[in-house]
Every structure is written in C-alpha cells, then in structure tokens.
C-alpha cells in the first residue's frame, strides 16, 4: 500500500495514516454482527432463509440498515462524519457529501444553488442530461458554449478557456460556469485555465467530473479538478473509482466561493437526498475512498492493463485508438489512461455491432458503443484480463458482401447540430405539450430532453427547436443494436413530445 504523507505538487493532501481507516464501513459491519430482532424497516428484516438471502447471501440484507442509528450516523461526530471528513481530505475538498442517487444528484444540486449566484448559467453544451434536469429544477436560463466535435468519430469533446471567456463577456449576469472533464471518451480539459477564466469574471467553476473520480490518486493519472481550481465538483465514484452503482460524491473546494456555497449546497442536498439513504452504498463510498487513497500499487496494474490493450491494438493495426487523435483538439490537454476508446469502424464493424457481439459471443462487456467506436474502461485498482479482451476484439467479423469483399463503408452517423433555443428548459418542461409523430415534430419546440444513452449527452434540449438532423440521428441510434434514447416516448423514437403552440 502507498502510505506517503507528502503529496506530489497539485494533488490532494492524502493519504496520511487515517486514510487506512474505513470508519463507517467498519461500524456498519460491527452493527450487523450483533444479534438483532429487527422490527423496523426495511421490511425484509434480514430474515434468514429469505429470497434476498438466497439470492445475494445473508450478508447483504444483514448490512441493509436504515439511517439514524446510534453508532453509525446519529449523535456527535459519528462514523459517518469521520468518513465524510476522510473523503474531503482524500480529494482535497473543504467539504464532501455522499450521494446515493448517483452523480446525477450532484449535478442537480449544483444547478439548484446557481440562482443564488446570478441569473444565467454558462454551460458546456455537451453536459450530461442530469445538468439539464437541474436547469429544469432551478429555472435558470443558460448560455451554451459549444464543444469541439470529432466529426469522423461522432464524439463531442470539451471547451477552451477562450470560448468560456467569450461567453462570459456576453453574460454579465452569469451565475457560474459549468463544464465537463473528463469526457466520456477520456478527454481531459484544461481545468486550470477554465477556472482562471471563471474567477476573472467573478463566478465559480462547477465541474462535472463524473468520469474522473480516480484522478489525482496515481502519478500516471491527471490531476483532479479540485486541485486545479474548480469550486464545486461532482464525482461519480461508482464509475472508475469502484464504489457500488448509484453511489457518488459532491466536493466543495476551499476557495473564494466556499462560504457562500457551503450552506446552499447542504440545504439543496437535503432536498434531493433520500431520507432512506442506503447504508450499503454509503459504506461502499467509504471503502472506495480508502482503496483509492492507499492503493497506488493496484492502480499501477490497472494503468498497465489499459496501456497493454491500446499497445496491442496499435500493433495489430485493424482498429484505431481514439485518443491518438486528441492532439488535434485545442480543448484537450490530456487523456485518461484508464479509458480504452477504440475506432471499430476502421476494422469493418460498427461500434454498436461490436458491443453486441462481444457481449453475446464472448461474455465481454464494454461501457458504451457509438456508431463508430466502443469504450472499454478499467476501474482504478482492477486488473482485467487484457489478453481476453484483445482476442475477443480481433475475433469480431468484418462484414462481407456476396462477392467476398468488404462492404463499402456506410455514411457515418454524425452528431446533429443543436436547434435554436426558443424557451428555457424549465419553461419548455412546464408548458402545455402534445405528442406528435417524429417527422411532424421537425421545426417544433421540444418539451423533453432527448439523449443517445450512454453517454447521455443531450442531442435535443427542452426549449430547443427539433431539427430533421436530430430526428434522423436519434432514430438511427435507437435502431442500432443496443441503441437507446433517454427521454424518448417510444423505443424507436417514433413520437416526440413538443410544446403546444
């Protein structure tokens, strides 16, 4: 285990000997080890021989306690308080909140507090749909900064500090700047420059770092957003950090906006956090913090596995490595080494079909597919079988026509350009609406957020005009193997909800 006490420059002040502890998880295990007669919720009461015990083992229901228990989270300086303090120390935060409804909950909280800072949110257009949900909740109008786009791959990347400065100059009532780093494909933005641009305009920088909860915990990984000047950071800890699905964190920096933001965030947290927060999810966050802060040796193995995957793919030459082209985009300063994004179309197969066949024929699951690529992720501390993945990947067929030659490449599926905005997200969401066939919706104002999912980046926002380009993209995405459009009324996107005239 890595127990260094002097962090490298720019990295969080971890681990220290306390980071070897997991106070909440240990207290939960001790609590479950006592002989309880459980006459409270949850109703399964950890009953021996129940269906839950049979399916998941007796330990899972035994650990499933409700909140507000002495010795766990009730009283003065509880194990939960200690766990939160350790998490803040590990990520270099002034304060950390544990979330049991994913990073989406953190994005909603951040959006909800923004009206106390100004009247308009400056937002990267390729944010996750949960940020747009937050705009619906807050009612704030938004000025969108368009990301760079790799047209060949159909991937949205990030925004530059200069683009943010330009947006702020035309938004004198800005509340905050909201960006994403890293992207779904592992592209890392220049968070330091973005923070400087936001702070020069007198507003905080909010970063959706859902895909970077592991950043800063190993020399091979990029620095985390907090260490680079971000003021409020959403961390989807269950992704590459490794906590249980649906668990996440929200981090507040010790910076110029901390005194204003802390009470607002705390109150918003209580609005959207379940009053029955899962003890299992909370304990997994505590354990994952310990693993990240003290597990540099394990993360080394993860980086080596991901490097091997990319290296062999390059050597064999059939598929491309998406991050090899990141240097062409001025908004990208680094790549997450634990993301393995591959251009499958170069190897004669769409990403959607590659993902389907890897799953069906090889029992290999990758995170996401687009028309052109797949993304495999290596969790920080995990040690996947790189050889198995490489072999399965190169067993994928390249479709052939009747003459035995490769089928000519079909027209790539390109990201649609956003339609013009006519209403705020909240106005559109709450307006009278009607449902029309998708083809008839062209030119009308969307009442819903529509996003190819994953990655969940909205292709149509509430309040935006629906374009024929967007309809074609969403329908073709939905028709692909494993394709899904979040927010669609029908699996095939045959109907859309629009604002009634």
């Amino acid at each position: 285990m890595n127990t260094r006490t002097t962090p490298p420059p720019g990295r969080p002040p971890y681990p220290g000997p306390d980071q070897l502890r997991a106070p909440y998880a240990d207290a939960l295990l001790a609590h479950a080890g006592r002989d309880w007669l459980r006459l409270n919720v949850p109703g399964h009461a950890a009953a021996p021989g129940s269906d839950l015990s049979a399916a998941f083992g007796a330990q899972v229901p035994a650990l499933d306690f409700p909140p507000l228990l002495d010795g766990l989270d009730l009283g003065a300086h509880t194990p939960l308080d200690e766990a939160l303090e350790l998490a803040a120390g590990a990520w270099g935060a002034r304060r950390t909140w544990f979330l049991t409804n994913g990073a989406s909950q953190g994005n909603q909280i951040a959006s909800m507090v923004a009206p106390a800072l100004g009247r308009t949110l400056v937002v990267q257009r390729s944010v996750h749909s949960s940020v747009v949900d937050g705009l619906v909740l807050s009612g704030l109008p938004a000025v969108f900064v368009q990301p760079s786009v790799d047209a060949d791959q159909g991937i949205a990347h990030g925004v530059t500090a200069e683009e943010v400065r330009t947006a702020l100059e035309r938004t004198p009532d800005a509340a905050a700047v909201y960006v994403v780093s890293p992207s779904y494909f592992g592209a890392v933005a220049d968070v330091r420059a973005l923070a400087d641009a936001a702070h020069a305009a007198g507003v905080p920088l909010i970063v959706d770092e859902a895909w970077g909860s592991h950043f800063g915990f190993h020399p091979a990984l990029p620095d985390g957003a907090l260490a680079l000047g971000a003021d409020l950071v959403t961390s989807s800890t269950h992704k590459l950090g490794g906590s249980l699905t649906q668990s996440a964190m929200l981090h507040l920096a010790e910076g110029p906006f901390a005194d204003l933001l802390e009470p607002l965030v705390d109150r918003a947290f209580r609005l959207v956090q379940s009053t029955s927060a899962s003890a299992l999810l909370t304990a997994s966050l505590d354990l994952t913090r310990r693993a990240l802060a003290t597990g540099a040796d394990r993360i080394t193995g993860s980086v080596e596995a991901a490097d091997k995957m990319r290296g062999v793919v390059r050597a064999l030459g059939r598929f491309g490595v998406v991050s090899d082209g990141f240097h062409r985009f001025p908004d990208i300063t680094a790549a997450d080494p634990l993301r393995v994004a591959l251009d499958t179309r170069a190897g004669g197969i769409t990403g959607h079909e590659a993902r389907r066949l890897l799953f069906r024929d090889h029992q290999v699951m990758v995170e996401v597919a687009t028309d052109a690529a797949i993304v495999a992720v290596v969790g920080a501390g995990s040690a996947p079988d790189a050889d198995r993945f490489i072999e399965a990947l190169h067993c994928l067929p390249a479709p052939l026509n009747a003459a035995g030659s490769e089928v000519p490449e079909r027209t790539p599926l390109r990201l649609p350009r956003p339609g013009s905005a006519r209403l705020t997200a909240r106005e559109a969401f709450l307006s009278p609406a009607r449902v029309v066939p998708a083809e008839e919706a062209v030119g009308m104002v969307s009442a819903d957020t529509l996003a190819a999912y994953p990655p969940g980046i909205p292709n149509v926002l509430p309040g935006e005009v629906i374009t024929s380009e967007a309809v074609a993209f969403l329908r073709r995405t939905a028709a692909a193997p494993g394709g899904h459009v979040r927010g669609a009324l029908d699996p095939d996107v045959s109907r859309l909800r629009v604002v009634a005239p």
Side-chain angles (χ1 to χ4, degrees):
M1 290 186 182
N2 181 357
T3 57
R4 68 186 179 208
T5 56
T6 303
R11 294 184 181 271
Y14 68 86
D18 280 353
Q19 291 294 343
L20 294 168
R21 301 170 54 238
Y24 183 86
D26 289 344
L28 181 64
L29 286 166
H31 200 71
R34 299 174 66 184
D35 183 17
W36 296 105
L37 174 61
R38 295 175 62 164
L39 302 176
N40 60 342
V41 296
H44 60 68
S50 68
D51 287 351
L52 287 177
S53 295
F56 303 128
Q59 184 79 331
V60 170
L63 292 169
D64 187 24
F65 285 102
L68 300 179
L69 293 177
D70 286 326
L72 285 177
D73 60 348
L74 189 62
H77 203 64
T78 66
L80 178 58
D81 293 330
E82 293 181 53
L84 289 167
E85 291 168 3
L86 287 168
W91 272 270
R94 167 172 170 157
R95 185 169 174 185
T96 291
W97 290 263
F98 285 174
L99 310 176
T100 55
N101 197 30
S104 296
Q105 181 185 347
N107 283 331
Q108 291 164 7
I109 291 169
S111 300
M112 287 169 64
V113 304
L117 306 168
R119 301 182 61 184
T120 305
L121 200 58
V122 176
V123 186
Q124 180 177 325
R125 177 57 179 78
S126 53
V127 290
H128 189 264
S129 57
S130 59
V131 177
V132 180
D133 296 342
L135 290 174
V136 172
L137 292 172
S138 72
L140 274 187
V143 168
F144 288 104
V145 184
Q146 300 301 323
S148 67
V149 174
D150 183 335
D152 292 333
Q153 290 292 323
I155 299 171
H157 291 310
V159 295
T160 65
E162 184 57 38
E163 290 165 335
V164 167
R165 274 190 287 269
T166 299
L168 287 167
E169 287 171 359
R170 58 188 175 93
T171 315
D173 59 352
V177 174
Y178 213 128
V179 300
V180 179
S181 181
S183 73
Y184 211 103
F185 284 77
V188 181
D190 189 348
V191 175
R192 176 71 70 189
L194 292 167
D196 289 345
H199 294 165
V203 299
L205 177 69
I206 304 171
V207 178
D208 180 355
E209 198 177 44
W211 285 97
S213 62
H214 55 301
F215 281 11
F217 288 101
H218 189 277
L221 300 177
D223 285 331
L226 282 174
L228 297 172
D231 297 285
L232 192 60
V233 175
T234 297
S235 175
S236 193
T237 324
H238 75 90
K239 288 186 167 68
L240 273 75
S243 58
L244 290 177
T245 296
Q246 201 172 311
S247 60
M249 298 186 194
L250 182 62
H251 304 293
L252 174 66
E254 183 67 85
F257 303 95
D259 288 342
L260 174 62
L261 285 172
E262 183 173 355
L264 293 171
V265 171
D266 199 44
R267 292 166 66 194
F269 165 78
R270 297 180 195 285
L271 282 178
V272 297
Q273 175 78 324
S274 171
T275 56
S276 301
S278 167
L280 285 164
L281 298 185
T282 302
S284 78
L285 289 169
D286 193 24
L287 292 168
T288 294
R289 180 271 315 154
R290 182 175 69 181
L292 288 171
T294 65
D297 291 343
R298 293 190 297 273
I299 297 174
T300 295
S302 305
V303 173
E304 290 173 347
D307 284 345
K308 179 178 181 178
M309 292 177 188
R310 284 186 292 268
V312 176
V313 166
R314 291 187 187 104
L316 293 177
R318 178 181 171 187
F319 301 102
V321 177
V322 172
S323 57
D324 288 349
F326 280 179
H327 65 279
R328 296 185 288 113
F329 299 91
D331 53 278
I332 301 176
T333 60
D336 178 6
L338 298 187
R339 218 79 53 89
V340 183
L342 301 177
D343 180 354
T344 60
R345 194 173 52 206
I349 188 170
T350 69
H352 290 296
E353 183 67 5
R355 185 189 192 207
R356 184 181 75 87
L357 294 178
L358 286 169
F359 183 90
R360 188 194 71 183
D361 298 341
H362 301 277
Q363 291 75 57
V364 172
M365 291 190 286
V366 295
E367 174 57 29
V368 68
T370 68
D371 187 62
I374 59 172
V375 181
V377 300
V378 178
S382 69
D385 187 341
D387 291 333
R388 178 179 173 184
F389 171 67
I390 293 164
E391 181 179 357
L393 181 71
H394 287 85
C395 285
L396 294 174
L400 303 177
N401 62 22
S405 60
E406 290 191 10
V407 176
E409 184 177 346
R410 66 175 187 161
T411 304
L413 183 59
R414 300 191 183 278
L415 288 175
R417 291 166 295 183
S420 59
R422 299 285 176 82
L423 300 170
T424 69
R426 184 183 182 90
E427 288 169 342
F429 186 87
L430 296 177
S431 292
R434 60 193 181 100
V435 176
V436 300
E439 294 79 6
E440 294 180 19
V442 173
M444 297 181 179
V445 176
S446 177
D448 290 327
T449 303
L450 301 171
Y453 201 92
I457 297 170
N459 307 108
V460 178
L461 298 179
E464 283 185 348
V465 172
I466 298 169
T467 66
S468 58
E469 187 181 1
V471 170
F473 173 85
L474 292 170
R475 298 201 69 178
R476 187 166 156 186
T477 296
H484 174 70
V485 175
R486 183 180 189 267
L489 296 171
D490 310 294
D492 58 355
V493 197
S494 59
R495 301 178 302 149
L496 297 178
R497 183 183 287 110
V498 300
V499 174

